[in-house]
Amino acid sequence: RMVLLAIWLVNAVVSLMGPAVPRLSETMLDLGVMAVAMVISIGTALLFGVGPAIALAFTNVQEVLKEGGRSVSASRRVIITGRAMVAAQVALTVVLLAGAGLMFKSVWKMTTYPAGFTPDRILTMHVDFRGPQYKDQRVRHDYAANVLSKAQSLPGVRQAAITTGRESTMLVMKEGEPFPPPPEQREAKAAPVSLISADFGPLLGMSLVKGRWFSEVETPGAIVINESLARRDFANEEPLGGRIRTPWLGEDRFGTVVGVARDLKYATIDADAQPELFFHHSDAPLFGVTVAMLIDGDPLVAAPAIRRELSAIDPTQSFYDVRTMEQALAESIAPRRFNLLLLGTFALVALVLATLGVYGVVAYAVAERTQEIGIRLALGAERARVVRMMVSQGMLSVFAGLVAGLIGAYAATRLIAGLLYGVGSHDLPTFTIATLLLSAIAFIACVAPALRAAFVDPVVALRAE
């Protein structure tokens, strides 16, 4: 039964995360792994089964008989051992819950998009220029312009734009700065470059801080930069009108900054926005373009018809990588989501085990103290007081585990600091929620058997062995 469950879980994980995590789709249930798991399971069963048997072999018979005669009280040694194991379970659960909470909050922050940016409604598809007829850059530019015009006219397409993506980088050298820069400054002066059409920024919901976007027909050398680049390279001066060396326009040619756009994470969402430049698509050589379209309705439903219409412009050119921008962003953080899935699964299993452990210890204590509870009730003890007594004793080990777990979580969550974004490894709200969640579930696990003890019939309890 457990093997079948393992097979189902592996298939479920592969189907959910397989396309996004490298080589995860090749994962299968390995016989060697199953054998190791079986050995560990058998070893664990023997360890926890043989241990009590060995302890029983060295038990003093006279002490056992004396203790058995006093059936009013539970075996103190058994109860203490059970509480210690519960505390350990709770401590481990706190560590796992805190880690899963931090990962969840990190992924949630990544996927909380700013107002106006709707990647789930943006359909993208890419085309590379192939064939001898596209060796000339003028032919490539004409084809890109035709694709853009056709996309803008399709039904259901609210806006359309083209971009080359952020695959190229350039050195941002302002007018008056020495060129080339010293080698140690090259990395600090680099920034990705995108060639875009006029509507690309508005389609994404990328607003302007100052200046303007490109026109459909733009004068050569116009540049739009983002806030990050403005802060880095124009910290003490007005960026509008600033001139940046643009060597592909000609030797000693400079482009002019005409606009500053707000930072927007539209390519990767697991890192802070980086400096970036935008040029008009007619300003530089094209090797391929991505068509981005804001769709009314479901983009994936409209995708086949749109792809056919665009392919009809030139059947020799093939559009591929058809997906929504949200799918592309989700794939960029797929490893983080996979880590969240694993850590969350471990935390859930630990939570269930800790709950069962708390319930089991309190239930055992209730069963062992049935006669004592019956005597208390027969002598007039309030049922509420019996409940409080059993719950307080059960929660004592829970609180001990919480304290140990919080200390362990404080140390352990540093190990996943590199996997987090927008949240610290010692985030107080996350730690608080994890602690309160576990405390509430443990409290319920304590109350259930305690209520059963409070409503026991004293006559039946006094007869219990």
Side-chain angles (χ1 to χ4, degrees):
R1 186 180 298 175
M2 295 305 296
V3 172
L4 294 177
L5 177 61
I7 294 174
W8 179 81
L9 288 175
V10 169
N11 292 334
V13 171
V14 170
S15 63
L16 288 173
M17 306 292 298
V21 179
R23 304 195 67 178
L24 183 63
S25 57
E26 303 173 15
T27 304
M28 63 182 64
L29 205 60
D30 185 77
L31 293 178
V33 175
M34 288 178 60
V36 172
M38 290 177 64
V39 170
I40 293 175
S41 300
I42 294 172
T44 302
L46 289 175
L47 176 64
F48 287 92
V50 173
I54 295 175
L56 183 62
F58 291 94
T59 300
N60 188 316
V61 178
Q62 293 182 350
E63 292 296 327
V64 172
L65 292 174
K66 291 178 182 179
E67 187 175 278
R70 301 188 302 267
S71 58
V72 172
S73 299
S75 172
R76 182 177 297 274
R77 183 175 60 185
V78 175
I79 294 297
I80 291 176
T81 302
R83 289 176 179 173
M85 294 184 66
V86 165
Q89 286 181 319
V90 169
L92 177 60
T93 304
V94 170
V95 174
L96 292 174
L97 279 177
L102 291 174
M103 288 293 296
F104 175 81
K105 190 171 183 178
S106 180
V107 172
W108 176 72
K109 282 184 172 290
M110 292 178 197
T111 54
T112 302
Y113 305 121
F117 181 43
T118 55
D120 59 317
R121 294 179 52 208
I122 298 175
L123 180 68
T124 63
M125 55 185 68
H126 190 80
V127 60
D128 293 322
F129 302 116
R130 302 184 183 278
Q133 69 272 31
Y134 286 98
K135 289 183 178 181
D136 191 336
Q137 281 293 330
R138 289 179 298 178
V139 177
R140 295 183 180 185
H141 281 283
D142 289 342
Y143 176 74
N146 290 335
V147 167
L148 176 60
S149 177
K150 181 68 173 180
Q152 291 172 334
S153 65
L154 292 176
V157 177
R158 179 173 298 184
Q159 284 181 289
I162 58 173
T163 177
T164 57
R166 306 165 73 239
E167 298 178 354
S168 301
T169 61
M170 65 174 284
L171 295 176
V172 183
M173 306 302 302
K174 296 186 294 183
E175 189 173 23
E177 292 181 337
F179 185 82
E184 62 273 11
Q185 293 184 7
R186 285 180 175 270
E187 185 175 352
K189 300 294 290 183
V193 180
S194 298
L195 302 179
I196 63 174
S197 61
D199 287 337
F200 182 72
L203 182 148
L204 294 183
M206 187 185 300
S207 59
L208 284 171
V209 177
K210 57 178 66 176
R212 63 176 179 87
W213 284 110
F214 300 127
S215 304
E216 289 291 342
V217 179
E218 187 61 68
T219 56
I223 305 172
V224 175
I225 63 175
N226 68 348
E227 287 180 292
S228 294
L229 192 138
R231 285 192 297 267
R232 189 189 76 178
D233 294 343
F234 296 90
N236 300 315
E237 55 186 295
E238 172 59 51
L240 290 183
R243 290 168 60 78
I244 297 174
R245 183 180 293 273
T246 313
W248 60 82
L249 294 178
E251 188 175 356
D252 295 330
R253 286 290 303 273
F254 291 85
T256 303
V257 177
V258 298
V260 178
R262 295 195 185 279
D263 290 336
L264 179 66
K265 296 182 293 182
Y266 65 93
T268 56
I269 55 177
D270 58 349
D272 293 330
Q274 300 297 317
E276 184 174 6
L277 302 92
F278 301 97
F279 288 83
H280 194 270
H281 65 92
S282 62
D283 265 0
L286 295 177
F287 301 94
V289 294
T290 296
V291 186
M293 293 159 283
L294 184 62
I295 305 297
D296 291 326
D298 188 345
L300 295 180
V301 173
I306 292 175
R307 184 180 183 180
R308 284 195 302 270
E309 291 291 337
L310 296 182
S311 297
I313 298 174
D314 184 349
T316 66
Q317 304 304 299
S318 176
F319 287 86
Y320 64 96
D321 202 14
V322 181
R323 56 184 176 176
T324 65
M325 186 169 285
E326 185 177 49
Q327 289 175 317
L329 294 176
E331 287 187 13
S332 72
I333 61 168
R336 296 178 186 266
R337 291 167 54 231
F338 183 65
N339 292 331
L340 171 60
L341 176 63
L342 292 181
L343 194 55
T345 301
F346 293 150
L348 180 61
V349 172
L351 181 61
V352 172
L353 293 177
T355 303
L356 293 177
V358 172
Y359 179 88
V361 167
V362 177
Y364 177 79
V366 169
E368 287 291 304
R369 300 175 65 177
T370 301
Q371 285 190 340
E372 176 190 345
I373 294 170
I375 292 174
R376 289 175 180 270
L377 294 174
L379 293 176
E382 296 180 357
R383 297 185 186 275
R385 186 172 181 179
V386 173
V387 173
R388 286 197 300 269
M389 176 186 68
M390 301 306 300
V391 171
S392 62
Q393 292 176 359
M395 291 299 293
L396 185 62
S397 57
V398 173
F399 288 139
L402 289 174
V403 173
L406 287 173
I407 295 173
Y410 187 86
T413 49
R414 294 183 181 181
L415 300 177
I416 63 171
L419 301 176
L420 304 178
Y421 172 79
V423 57
S425 59
H426 299 146
D427 185 59
L428 182 59
T430 302
F431 277 44
T432 302
I433 292 174
T435 303
L436 292 177
L437 174 64
L438 182 54
S439 299
I441 294 176
F443 178 77
I444 295 172
C446 288
V447 168
L451 286 174
R452 190 172 67 246
F455 288 96
V456 69
D457 188 341
V459 177
V460 176
L462 291 172
R463 293 175 180 173
E465 294 293 335

